[in-house]
Amino acid sequence: MLLSGEYKKGWKYKRLGECSFIVYNATYPWKTHLLENGHLKRGGKGRVKAIKHIRPAAEKSVNHLIKEIRERLEAEAAKV
């Protein structure tokens, strides 16, 4: 299922307020937790390795937002 791109295409977001959003996977909501944290294999023998993909994307987005805000503030300050 992951190779088909359905999981990737399932990412959506909702605006909760002026500066607040929630990001979720509408196609496979249960997979986000299993992939991010790993899980037991079928039959309970061993574990599947975690694939960290949500936290790095969130951190990248926050850093991009901070950079964007700084640039806009500096541009406004330069105008004055």
Side-chain angles (χ1 to χ4, degrees):
M1 276 191 266
L2 288 177
L3 298 177
S4 68
E6 292 176 40
Y7 178 75
K8 182 179 179 180
K9 292 176 187 174
W11 288 100
K12 309 288 181 203
Y13 70 93
K14 286 184 184 178
R15 189 177 189 126
L16 299 178
E18 190 175 323
C19 296
S20 182
F21 293 88
I22 186 166
V23 179
Y24 62 99
N25 191 290
T27 310
Y28 298 105
W30 63 90
K31 280 192 175 182
T32 57
H33 176 77
L34 295 174
L35 289 172
E36 189 76 9
N37 301 309
H39 58 89
L40 287 176
K41 290 183 178 180
R42 274 191 180 167
K45 296 183 180 182
R47 292 192 61 82
V48 173
K49 187 177 178 183
I51 302 171
K52 298 292 184 187
H53 64 293
I54 298 172
R55 184 176 302 267
E59 289 172 356
K60 183 178 176 182
S61 296
V62 168
N63 291 335
H64 177 74
L65 177 63
I66 291 170
K67 181 182 173 189
E68 181 92 15
I69 291 170
R70 279 193 182 129
E71 289 173 358
R72 289 185 184 194
L73 288 173
E74 289 171 359
E76 285 297 317
K79 288 181 183 178
V80 177

